[in-house]
Amino acid sequence: MTEPRSPQVVLRNVTRIYEGGAAGRVHALGPLDLDIPKGEFFSVVGPSGCGKSTLLDLIAGLAETSDGTVSFEGKAVVGKVPEGVGVVFQEDSTLAWLTVWDNIAFGLRRRGALPGDIKRRVDDVLRLMGLGDFARAYPAQLSGGMRQRVCHRPDSRFGATPHSAGRALRRPRPTTRLLMETRS
Ligand SMILES: Nc1ncnc2c1ncn2[C@@H]1O[C@H](COP(=O)(O)OP(=O)(O)OP(=O)(O)O)[C@@H](O)[C@H]1O
Ligand SMILES: [Mg+2]
């Protein structure tokens, strides 16, 4: 009998409240409990403003909870993007002066990954994202949807993407986690 594996992403009682903005106090999310197993292709779908990006930001360590806890692979996510997590932003976040290949390699280089490892992982992501023919292109030479698929840390991926970009990612490898936000 195989042991049940613990979930890769665990949220407990997670709440996010934005205070003091022009709109006053906004209760953006929660309280939310969520377990995402390793290898799961997980989508968050909902109307504009319902808290999808807020949820992804919290899981990716880009925002802090007002209450509750987020953990990734057993470690609390606090104040920084966990090791092994990549982020595809809702808005275009490519670096205009780098090719698609170098944009994807950017985060790996910053982390000091070995050249062979960078090449393997970047090529892998290019294939997954359907951008294999555009490795040497610059962001300005891509469509908006293609630019959105250029991600900075090709490992686990947490992305906020409209539906069209989501469809291009329909065949994730089993080792790839994709947390995708979709908008109709
Ligand atoms: N930095 C912020 N300051 C104040 N309020 C915010 C902030 N970011 C988000 N909000 C509010 O939190 C709520 C959830 O926003 P969020 O960006 O998570 O929505 P969303 O589901 O991703 O929407 P969309 O589909 O339009 O991208 C909204 O009411 C928004 O106005
Ligand atoms: Mg959003």
Side-chain angles (χ1 to χ4, degrees):
M1 222 170 84
T2 51
E3 288 286 313
R5 281 186 304 179
S6 53
Q8 188 177 39
V9 176
V10 176
L11 274 67
R12 290 291 173 265
N13 197 40
V14 166
T15 305
R16 180 67 164 118
I17 294 166
Y18 294 101
E19 307 269 8
R25 185 178 195 270
V26 176
H27 188 134
L29 187 75
L32 174 68
D33 290 338
L34 179 65
D35 288 20
I36 306 176
K38 195 164 184 162
E40 180 122 329
F41 187 104
F42 189 90
S43 295
V44 183
V45 182
S48 182
C50 76
K52 304 180 295 293
S53 291
T54 300
L55 170 63
L56 294 174
D57 285 352
L58 292 170
I59 294 174
L62 299 172
E64 289 182 13
T65 63
S66 305
D67 195 12
T69 56
V70 178
S71 62
F72 180 78
E73 298 189 335
K75 290 190 194 134
V77 177
V78 272
K80 69 180 186 108
V81 181
E83 197 61 32
V85 166
V87 181
V88 181
F89 292 99
Q90 180 168 2
E91 64 279 11
D92 174 10
S93 64
T94 50
L95 303 171
W97 59 94
L98 295 180
T99 63
V100 167
W101 204 97
D102 286 324
N103 261 282
I104 296 171
F106 184 80
L108 292 168
R109 286 195 173 118
R110 285 204 59 192
R111 276 195 296 157
L114 296 171
D117 193 32
I118 294 174
K119 179 168 178 2
R120 183 179 56 76
R121 290 163 74 183
V122 172
D123 288 345
D124 211 27
V125 165
L126 282 169
R127 261 194 309 280
L128 175 74
M129 299 288 176
L131 293 171
D133 293 340
F134 294 87
R136 298 283 152 221
Y138 286 87
Q141 298 167 316
L142 304 179
S143 72
M146 290 160 81
R147 266 198 298 279
Q148 270 188 320
R149 304 204 299 274
V150 177
C151 115
H152 289 290
R153 293 182 61 175
D155 207 332
S156 295
R157 268 173 286 278
F158 296 89
T161 172
H163 209 64
S164 54
R167 277 199 296 274
L169 308 176
R170 65 196 176 281
R171 292 186 60 240
R173 295 177 314 150
T175 52
T176 303
R177 274 80 51 191
L178 274 162
L179 181 68
M180 290 178 30
E181 167 186 351
T182 60
R183 291 190 302 190
S184 52

